Amino acid sequence: MAVIEFQGVSKSFQRHAQRQLLRSRIRAMLTGQLKDRFQALRNVSFRVEKGESVAIVGHNGAGKSTLLSLIAGLAIPDEGAVHINGRVSALLELGSGFHGDLTGRENVHLNASLIGWDRKRTTELFDAVVEFSGLGEFIEEPLRTYSSGMVMRLAFAVAVHIDPEVLLLDEVLVVGDQSFQVKCIDRIREFRRQGRSLIAVSHAPALVRSLCDRALWLDHGELVMDGDVNSVIDAYQGNIVR
Amino acid sequence: MWTGDYRYVLTNLIMKDFRVRYRNMSLGMLWSLLNPLVMMGVLTFIFTRVFPSGIENFPLFVLCGLVPFNFFSLAWISATTSLVDNTGLVKRVSVPREVIPVAAVLSNCVHLGVQISLLLGLTLLFGKGVHVQWLWLPVVWALFIPFVCGLGMLFAAIDVYIRDTRYVVESGNTVLFWLVPIFYSFENIRPEYADLYRFNPVAALVMATRNILLDGQAPATSLLRNLTIASAAMSLAGWFGFQKLKRRFYDYL
C-alpha cells in the first residue's frame, strides 16, 4: 500500500514581494498583473510504498521544501492530488513551535501537543524524550540558553517519539555533533526496520546514501529522475560537476 | 491528519503566552491591574472634577466599562495578528490553524480573571455587597467570549492576506472606546442613536455588567437575546470564513 501518492501535482506561488499590502493588492487588481507566479512544482507524480526510505535531492529552490510541505498537509496543491495514508511527523525547521523563553520541559509539552500528542502520552514519554536528547539538567533551563545543536537534539527527540508512519526531515540532521548524529541514524534505521517510511531532504550525500534506498531528483520544480539512491546521486553529482 | 488533543494544545499555547509575558516582569500579575486602575483614575478625575457628570460611584461605574472594553480590544488585536506572528507554526507544524487565534483570545482571559477580581473587590468596597445576581456574570461572559473568538478567527485569517488589517483593528478599537458607554451612561443617549448601542455586543456587555454589579439586577431579556444572536452569528461567520481562507495560508505567509 502506498503511504504517499502524488498525481500530477503542481504548485505555484505569487512572486510579488509586497503582495500582502493593501496598496499593492489594489494596484495589482487595477493593472491586472496577478499573473506573475513562481512555479515551485510542475506536474510531479510518484508513489512511496510502506517502509520505503526516500531522499530528495536538488539545488536550492528546486522545490524540495515545497514537496515536503505538501506531504505534511501544510500547503495545498494548485493542480493534481496528494494522497497520504498514515500519520506524518515533520521536522521541517529547527525548533519551529519552540519558544526561547520557555524551559526545555515546557517546550517539550508545547511541541508535543502541537504535533498531536495528548497529555497522558506526553507525560508517559517525557522521560524517554529527555533521555534520548541527552540534555540532562539543561531540560529545566530556558531554550534561549541552548546551542543550536541542543535545540536540534530536543526537536529531534520529540519528533522520533511521535511514532509516525512517515517521518519527514528537512536538512536538520547536520547540526548535531558526531555522537548525536550516530544516535539519530541508529534511531532512523530502527524506525525503518519497523516498516515505516522516511522522506529526507539533505545536501550530505554520504548521509543520504546510508539512510535511503531511493532518491528523487528535483530540478526547477520538475522530477527529473526517480530511482535507486546511488544512481540518482551519482547522476546529480555528475550534473553539478559538469 | 492531525489527531491530537485540542484542550491540551490550547492549554499549552495559553500557558506559553502567560509565561512569556510574566517571566521577565518583577511585578508579574500586578501589571494586569495597573492599566485599568490608571484609566479608572484618569477618567474619574476628568468626569468628577473637570466635567462633573453627576454619576454616583463613578470609579466603579467606569471600571464596569473598562474591564469588558479592555478585554475586547486586547483580544481582538492579539487574535488578528496571531497567525502572522506565528508564521513558523503555520508553515512548519501541521497543528489545526484554528487553535492559534482562539488561543490568542483565551490567553487574555487570564488577565480578565484578574481584572474581574479587581472589579468585584471594588464593588464590595463601594458597599454594594455580594449579590445573587452576580451569577449572571459568568453567563454573559460565556456568551461574549465565543463572539470574540469568531471575530478573532475572521480577522486573523484576513490579516494573512492583507497585512493592513491590524491597523484597521487598531482604529476600530479607538472608535469603539467612544462608542461604548464606558464613561457615560446609556440612559443619557438620545433615542435616535440608541440602535448604535443596542446592536453592539461590547456595549451590551458593559450594560449587563452595570445591571448586575451596580443595580443588583438581572440583565434585560432583550439584551441577553441580542448577545446570544450576535455570539452565535459571529462564531459561525468566523468558523466558516476561516475554513474558506485557511487553504492558502501557506502561500501568503
Side-chain angles (χ1 to χ4, degrees):
Chain A
M1 188 187 76
V3 284
I4 301 169
E5 185 168 7
F6 272 51
Q7 292 169 332
V9 171
S10 295
K11 178 77 189 170
S12 62
F13 297 103
Q14 193 82 245
R15 203 191 288 268
H16 272 291
Q18 289 192 320
R19 64 191 186 276
Q20 294 94 344
L21 294 179
L22 196 55
R23 67 183 145 82
S24 48
R25 293 217 126 205
I26 292 170
R27 192 188 304 140
M29 243 185 293
L30 293 177
T31 56
Q33 47 154 244
L34 274 167
K35 302 285 179 282
D36 188 16
R37 298 182 76 85
F38 164 72
Q39 197 75 26
L41 287 178
R42 228 183 283 266
N43 194 19
V44 172
S45 302
F46 66 92
R47 283 163 69 97
V48 176
E49 302 296 327
K50 193 171 184 305
E52 263 193 305
S53 175
V54 181
I56 299 166
V57 297
H59 301 288
N60 292 335
K64 306 187 293 294
S65 296
T66 305
L67 189 83
L68 291 191
S69 307
L70 288 165
I71 298 174
L74 298 165
I76 291 169
D78 296 342
E79 285 166 47
V82 175
H83 297 288
I84 308 290
N85 293 304
R87 196 209 292 260
V88 176
S89 170
L91 198 48
L92 300 184
E93 198 174 272
L94 261 185
S96 37
F98 280 3
H99 197 289
D101 284 339
L102 300 182
T103 66
R105 175 185 294 273
E106 290 160 354
N107 269 305
V108 168
H109 279 273
L110 174 61
N111 209 243
S113 69
L114 287 171
I115 63 179
W117 297 6
D118 57 23
R119 186 188 299 274
K120 185 165 158 281
R121 204 174 133 74
T122 312
T123 316
E124 280 167 11
L125 284 173
F126 184 80
D127 291 334
V129 169
V130 177
E131 168 76 33
F132 186 89
S133 74
L135 286 171
E137 289 167 8
F138 270 99
I139 200 73
E140 308 298 347
E141 298 291 322
L143 202 80
R144 65 184 135 76
T145 64
Y146 287 23
S147 67
S148 56
M150 287 161 75
V151 175
M152 193 279 278
R153 281 166 174 255
L154 198 61
F156 196 82
V158 178
V160 293
H161 281 88
I162 193 187
D163 224 19
E165 272 93 37
V166 183
L167 179 64
L168 308 180
L169 294 177
D170 192 354
E171 202 66 76
V172 285
L173 272 180
V174 288
V175 195
D177 58 27
Q178 204 72 47
S179 68
F180 191 70
Q181 273 196 21
V182 171
K183 201 166 166 182
C184 291
I185 291 166
D186 284 348
R187 178 79 193 197
I188 292 169
R189 291 223 171 93
E190 183 194 323
F191 177 83
R192 292 198 45 210
R193 272 196 297 278
Q194 295 165 348
R196 298 162 199 274
S197 311
L198 170 76
I199 312 287
V201 165
S202 178
H203 291 289
L207 190 69
V208 167
R209 283 182 211 259
S210 77
L211 279 180
C212 303
D213 32 39
R214 180 179 155 198
L216 307 178
W217 173 11
L218 286 177
D219 189 43
H220 294 98
E222 281 179 76
L223 183 58
V224 291
M225 193 170 171
D226 174 359
D228 167 68
V229 66
N230 287 317
S231 52
V232 172
I233 293 204
D234 289 343
Y236 173 61
Q237 287 185 315
N239 180 268
I240 297 171
V241 174
R242 256 194 300 124
Chain B
M1 272 317 288
W2 194 84
T3 52
D5 180 342
Y6 281 91
R7 251 198 27 210
Y8 184 46
V9 74
L10 277 174
T11 315
N12 275 314
L13 284 170
I14 294 165
M15 288 304 286
K16 178 189 88 167
D17 272 4
F18 184 73
R19 285 173 174 138
V20 167
R21 206 172 312 182
Y22 287 114
R23 192 154 283 169
N24 300 322
M25 288 186 187
S26 48
L27 287 178
M29 296 294 286
L30 282 178
W31 288 114
S32 287
L33 298 177
L34 202 63
N35 176 276
L37 282 175
V38 167
M39 285 300 286
M40 183 183 89
V42 171
L43 289 169
T44 302
F45 172 70
I46 301 282
F47 291 105
T48 59
R49 308 277 159 163
V50 184
F51 301 109
S53 66
I55 294 171
E56 49 181 304
N57 298 331
F58 195 84
L60 181 59
F61 175 87
V62 78
L63 197 67
C64 284
L66 284 171
V67 170
F69 174 78
N70 276 352
F71 169 79
F72 176 79
S73 59
L74 273 177
W76 189 19
I77 189 73
S78 56
T80 299
T81 59
S82 63
L83 287 170
V84 175
D85 291 346
N86 286 293
T87 299
L89 272 189
V90 179
K91 290 195 80 167
R92 298 285 177 249
V93 183
S94 61
V95 61
R97 281 82 187 81
E98 292 80 7
V99 303
I100 296 171
V102 171
V105 171
L106 297 184
S107 291
N108 285 294
C109 291
V110 181
H111 301 280
L112 179 65
V114 178
Q115 298 195 1
I116 286 186
S117 313
L118 174 73
L119 190 55
L120 294 181
L122 206 71
T123 310
L124 295 179
L125 206 69
F126 274 82
K128 295 279 172 190
V130 179
H131 204 289
V132 66
Q133 302 293 353
W134 283 18
L135 291 172
W136 279 105
L137 272 186
V139 176
V140 291
W141 280 99
L143 287 173
F144 187 67
I145 290 170
F147 170 81
V148 186
C149 286
L151 189 74
M153 284 172 80
L154 197 60
F155 276 80
I158 295 170
D159 192 48
V160 172
Y161 293 86
I162 304 167
R163 299 293 159 86
D164 312 53
T165 308
R166 65 178 66 189
Y167 306 113
V168 175
V169 171
E170 278 170 12
S171 308
N173 275 331
T174 310
V175 170
L176 216 54
F177 182 79
W178 299 90
L179 283 186
V180 169
I182 294 174
F183 49 85
Y184 54 90
S185 170
F186 178 65
E187 279 74 44
N188 303 344
I189 294 161
R190 286 202 198 162
E192 61 258 44
Y193 300 120
D195 282 352
L196 214 60
Y197 295 83
R198 207 166 277 144
F199 298 104
N200 176 346
V202 189
L205 188 67
V206 170
M207 290 186 258
T209 309
R210 284 183 185 147
N211 284 153
I212 296 164
L213 293 181
L214 293 174
D215 315 329
Q217 284 172 3
T221 321
S222 61
L223 188 152
L224 288 173
R225 188 197 56 216
N226 287 353
L227 198 56
T228 311
I229 294 171
S231 182
M234 188 47 84
S235 339
L236 287 175
W239 178 264
F240 286 110
F242 198 89
Q243 298 310 311
K244 195 156 171 55
L245 293 170
K246 76 173 181 182
R247 293 173 58 84
R248 305 205 75 89
F249 282 171
Y250 185 93
D251 306 7
Y252 282 87
L253 281 171

